[in-house]
Amino acid sequence: MTTPTGDSEDRERDHGTGAEDGAGPGATGSAAGGPAAGGPESAGRRRDDEAADGNEDTVNPAEATEKFEEFRDDLDAVERRIAGEIDPGARAMVVAGAVFLLLLSLVLPHTGGARGFDVLLGSEAATAEHIGLPSRIFVWFVLLFGIGFSLLALMTRRWVLAWIAVAGSAIASAFGVFSIWHRQTPGLNNYVGAGPGIGLVLGTLAIMVLTFHWVKVVWSRTAVQLAAEEQRRIAAAQEEERQRRHRLGDD
């Protein structure tokens, strides 16, 4: 009685162990099959994410052009401001020296006992020396253009002010030569006054030197501006051609 019962219990244990062993490989296979089946899908998702990131990093030419157009006005304004400036370089020292000599010429005798400031203000000394109109025009042009506008052009470096200084200095140079001639020419009733003073001669020479150097500065800047305008015209023509081809679909 005892032996059959023990045999049946052994058979039941063997059967249970076989069932567990049979279920084990199946479960292992299903567990292993999960990652195997999910591997291609995960790789595909990674490739899609990388492609999306690449598309975000890519710059659209149309958007880049629109962004550039937003700053075109600012760039043009900066270019115009730079084009309106001068760069005298080493000539600035020469111009400053000529302006100093012009100031000195107003202190020195213009003719006889009349100084440059006497001619400028029309004092009694100028009246006594019978100062004529050429000398009066000369000293005023020296003060306004040779000294005033020249200093403004040096400090601000504005091209327009330099042009005004050039024009006024050129006229002053002509009146300076005319004033020297006038002081050596007899007046009404054969009146012979004092000849040109050191101030008049120095002022005439200084204003001539100033005119020469201002002309060199302004002319060099004019050549640069002409070249910049030519480049702007070429760039505008290229941009217009590019837009035309874009509208027609030739790109």
Side-chain angles (χ1 to χ4, degrees):
M1 294 296 291
T2 304
T3 302
T5 303
D7 294 337
S8 62
E9 291 175 357
D10 292 336
R11 285 193 298 270
E12 290 175 359
R13 285 196 300 271
D14 294 337
H15 180 73
T17 304
E20 292 175 358
D21 294 336
T28 304
S30 62
E41 296 178 358
S42 300
R45 285 195 296 271
R46 285 195 298 271
R47 286 193 296 270
D48 294 339
D49 294 339
E50 292 176 355
D53 295 338
N55 292 332
E56 292 178 356
D57 296 336
T58 302
V59 179
N60 189 355
E63 295 179 357
T65 303
E66 293 177 357
K67 292 180 179 179
F68 178 77
E69 291 295 335
E70 294 177 359
F71 299 99
R72 178 180 291 275
D73 295 336
D74 296 335
L75 294 175
D76 292 340
V78 172
E79 185 178 0
R80 287 192 298 268
R81 181 178 62 83
I82 295 176
E85 294 181 353
I86 60 173
D87 185 14
R91 295 184 186 276
M93 297 299 297
V94 180
V95 171
V99 171
F100 175 77
L101 292 178
L102 289 176
L103 286 171
L104 184 61
S105 69
L106 295 179
V107 179
L108 295 175
H110 184 86
T111 180
R115 298 175 302 168
F117 282 113
D118 294 328
V119 178
L120 188 65
L121 300 176
S123 64
E124 294 180 358
T127 304
E129 293 294 339
H130 295 83
I131 300 298
L133 184 61
S135 292
R136 298 181 187 275
I137 295 177
F138 170 71
V139 293
W140 274 106
F141 269 71
V142 165
L143 180 64
L144 292 178
F145 299 99
I147 298 174
F149 278 98
S150 293
L151 289 177
L152 288 176
L154 281 180
M155 291 186 295
T156 62
R157 295 180 179 270
R158 300 306 300 172
W159 184 73
V160 176
L161 295 178
W163 255 116
I164 296 175
V166 167
S169 299
I171 297 174
S173 299
F175 273 99
V177 175
F178 188 33
S179 298
I180 294 175
W181 172 82
H182 183 264
R183 296 308 305 177
Q184 294 175 334
T185 303
L188 296 177
N189 299 321
N190 292 325
Y191 170 80
V192 179
I198 184 63
L200 177 56
V201 176
L202 179 62
T204 302
L205 294 177
I207 200 69
M208 287 181 175
V209 172
L210 184 64
T211 303
F212 172 78
H213 285 282
W214 270 136
V215 167
K216 298 290 289 185
V217 171
V218 170
W219 181 256
S220 63
R221 193 59 192 167
T222 303
V224 173
Q225 288 178 339
L226 292 176
E229 291 177 359
E230 181 65 22
Q231 291 179 356
R232 284 196 296 268
R233 286 194 294 268
I234 294 175
Q238 292 177 349
E239 179 65 18
E240 183 179 357
E241 179 65 18
R242 187 192 66 80
Q243 293 179 358
R244 186 188 65 81
R245 295 182 60 186
H246 180 72
R247 289 193 300 267
L248 296 177
D250 293 341
D251 291 344

